Amino acid sequence: MINAIDTHFHLDLYPRPADLLADIENNRIYAIAVTNTPSVYHFTQKICENKKYVRPALGLHPELAEERYRELGQFEDLLKTTRYIGEIGLDLINRCPDSSKTAQTKVFQKIIDLCATEGNKVLTVHSRGSESEVIERIGKNYPGKVILHWYSGSLKNMELALSYGFYFSVNSSMCRSKNGRKIIQSIPDSRLLTESDGPFITNKSMVNSPLNIDHTIAHISEIVKKPSQEVSKSIYENFKAVLESKNLR
Ligand SMILES: [Zn+2]
């Protein structure tokens, strides 16, 4: 059996994180537990201690950047405690006030710079309404691994991200949307990853989690017209490649 992979879910936002964590570990699902601010990271870091499959990620969500700007110092202090960084990025969807845009940009740029200096981080990045800006701010030859989470931009920007070596994590919502399916068909096998983005996504009234990533695999295999075993294997190999990479500057 090939291990399932979930590179973006919010463990701390489920009603019973410890129980879910135990289930994920028992099912041997490799997962990156993203967090939305440095002040809540401690909880996820603590419960993931000594766990084999779930890794805690330090983040500062773009939609909280303005309100939690002051936590950047904490972010910096905690940077050495994990190799995984997320949720970070930009969200410049319509009617985003200028003050939010300014804060988001400052926070994101600072995080990118800190992670580049440290080197070898794995970033899971939000880019809604800001794809080209996110891709360009990270840039090519970034000394780490970049996973664009729930990418919803143009194929042109996607090509650019691919040329920079970025990966794409696909979730069940993308499988259900027309644009999402188009994106999934264009992701090369060697850059495909899966995510649940649970508990934010529900699927037929079931809350997404790493435990039901197999549904997403089945859906992707229909979309790309390849056997699900083959799809799972590529995703597993890609995750391994991300973890094994050592591009320290
Ligand atoms: Zn998320």
Side-chain angles (χ1 to χ4, degrees), residues 15 22 77 108 173 179 195 199 242:
D77 294 341
F108 183 54
S173 277
N179 189 47
E195 62 165 52
V242 166

Side-chain angles (χ1 to χ4, degrees), residues 1-7 9 20-21 23-32 52-55 194 209-214 239:
M1 252 283 285
I2 302 164
N3 306 76
I5 306 294
D6 185 344
T7 62
F9 86 116
L20 176 60
L21 182 58
D23 283 346
I24 299 167
E25 288 283 319
N26 288 334
N27 284 281
R28 300 177 183 178
I29 299 161
Y30 286 104
I32 299 177
K52 181 167 180 202
Y53 296 95
V54 183
R55 292 125 209 261
T194 34
S209 82
L211 301 175
N212 55 26
I213 216 88
D214 50 330
F239 189 64

Side-chain angles (χ1 to χ4, degrees), residues 11-155:
L11 178 62
D12 59 335
L13 302 179
Y14 288 85
R16 288 191 302 277
D19 293 350
L20 176 60
L21 182 58
D23 283 346
I24 299 167
E25 288 283 319
N26 288 334
N27 284 281
R28 300 177 183 178
I29 299 161
Y30 286 104
I32 299 177
V34 298
T35 56
N36 286 342
T37 68
S39 55
V40 301
Y41 165 75
H42 300 278
F43 171 80
T44 300
Q45 186 197 27
K46 186 90 202 129
I47 63 169
C48 291
E49 231 165 44
N50 305 315
K51 294 287 182 280
K52 181 167 180 202
Y53 296 95
V54 183
R55 292 125 209 261
L58 174 65
L60 213 172
H61 196 288
E63 289 172 295
L64 293 169
E66 192 174 6
E67 188 189 319
R68 302 299 185 97
Y69 185 78
R70 282 193 202 90
E71 291 188 28
L72 260 180
Q74 269 189 70
F75 191 102
E76 196 167 353
D77 294 341
L78 291 164
L79 195 62
K80 282 194 193 316
T81 68
T82 183
R83 194 182 162 205
Y84 304 90
I85 305 297
E87 179 156 0
I88 57 164
L90 296 175
D91 191 308
L92 305 179
I93 204 74
N94 49 6
R95 282 188 247 118
C96 170
D98 283 350
S99 59
S100 167
K101 194 183 166 181
T102 307
Q104 285 189 41
T105 310
K106 277 189 186 157
V107 165
F108 183 54
Q109 190 60 51
K110 177 75 181 167
I111 291 174
I112 289 299
D113 294 345
L114 287 170
C115 293
T117 304
E118 183 93 0
N120 214 26
K121 299 292 191 194
V122 175
L123 318 180
T124 166
V125 188
H126 181 113
S127 60
R128 184 166 57 175
S130 55
E131 297 83 11
S132 62
E133 187 167 345
V134 163
I135 295 163
E136 288 301 0
R137 280 186 186 276
I138 300 171
K140 62 174 156 190
N141 309 321
Y142 190 74
K145 287 289 168 188
V146 180
I147 306 168
L148 293 182
H149 124 82
W150 199 338
Y151 179 82
S152 58
S154 67
L155 293 183

